[in-house]
Amino acid sequence: IPRVATTLSTIEVLAPFVVQFGGEVRCKKPGKLSFVQTKKLDGIKVLGEFSLQETGSAFVKYINNDGARSHNMDGEENAGYAETHVVLDLFNLASNVWTGLNMVFTDMQGIFHEERYVLTDLAIASKNVLAFDAATNWGPLAVKKVVCDARYNAKTHAPEVYEKFLSVFGIKDDVFARV
């Protein structure tokens, strides 16, 4: 997407991390102030995500797993949409084309910090409901919602950027009608 316009914000995605506990784990019991050593967690793996609260910027859920968007990404409610949030829509439109119109990113959450998006723990919506975790993959309806909303908002509220995006990547606008 940087080839589309140098004025667009960049996107940085922080991957989740896995913590595996060993036999030497220390933890607090509920209501206690001291730590105790426990073997109950030995071998347990936990998926975690980075905390983004430390930067002083507000953490935002941009797109839910079902494809519902934050009001911040509505070009009619947010005059700054074209300068900032359109990059998230273009990211999803490009991802959709690159996956043969089968997938998009959902559970898009994070912060806008220092002129870039820092996102964490994205999920994937796929037309194939068996392709990813059923708890986060809301299937073809989520894919369609994300693509239709992204196309509408980019085309309506950032038309020059949207046309340049299509031109640079050699995408025809009508491809999104087939989603």
Side-chain angles (χ1 to χ4, degrees):
I1 303 225
R3 296 187 307 179
V4 175
T6 55
T7 58
L8 288 179
S9 306
T10 58
I11 299 171
E12 178 182 349
V13 178
L14 301 177
F17 55 88
V18 176
V19 176
Q20 181 169 356
F21 295 104
E24 303 298 315
V25 174
R26 293 172 25 142
C27 64
K28 283 186 183 179
K29 287 190 175 183
K32 302 289 182 183
L33 297 176
S34 59
F35 287 90
V36 295
Q37 192 162 340
T38 180
K39 293 193 180 268
K40 288 181 182 178
L41 296 175
D42 191 18
I44 299 287
K45 291 182 182 179
V46 176
L47 184 67
E49 61 185 69
F50 290 95
S51 171
L52 301 176
Q53 292 1 357
E54 299 294 320
T55 64
S57 299
F59 183 90
V60 175
K61 178 79 143 205
Y62 296 104
I63 300 175
N64 289 330
N65 290 65
D66 64 357
R69 299 161 64 92
S70 163
H71 67 88
N72 293 327
M73 290 183 66
D74 183 336
E76 285 145 23
E77 285 188 40
N78 179 5
Y81 167 84
E83 289 83 41
T84 54
H85 302 316
V86 70
V87 72
L88 298 177
D89 286 329
L90 297 179
F91 179 56
N92 254 333
L93 292 174
S95 300
N96 186 248
V97 170
W98 295 334
T99 62
L101 306 178
N102 287 306
M103 293 182 248
V104 292
F105 289 102
T106 60
D107 200 18
M108 200 176 271
Q109 57 202 342
I111 58 172
F112 185 72
H113 180 66
E114 295 179 359
E115 302 305 313
R116 76 185 198 292
Y117 284 95
V118 181
L119 305 175
T120 183
D121 197 26
L122 301 178
I124 297 174
S126 170
K127 287 183 177 178
N128 178 353
V129 294
L130 301 176
F132 298 94
D133 182 13
T136 58
N137 179 8
W138 286 45
L141 292 177
V143 172
K144 184 173 184 80
K145 179 156 183 44
V146 169
V147 170
C148 289
D149 288 351
R151 177 182 179 232
Y152 171 80
N153 275 293
K155 193 173 182 175
T156 304
H157 302 290
E160 296 90 20
V161 175
Y162 180 68
E163 288 301 321
K164 189 170 183 181
F165 162 76
L166 295 175
S167 174
V168 166
F169 287 103
I171 300 169
K172 297 204 182 304
D173 177 61
D174 65 353
V175 73
F176 299 115
R178 291 182 275 163
V179 172

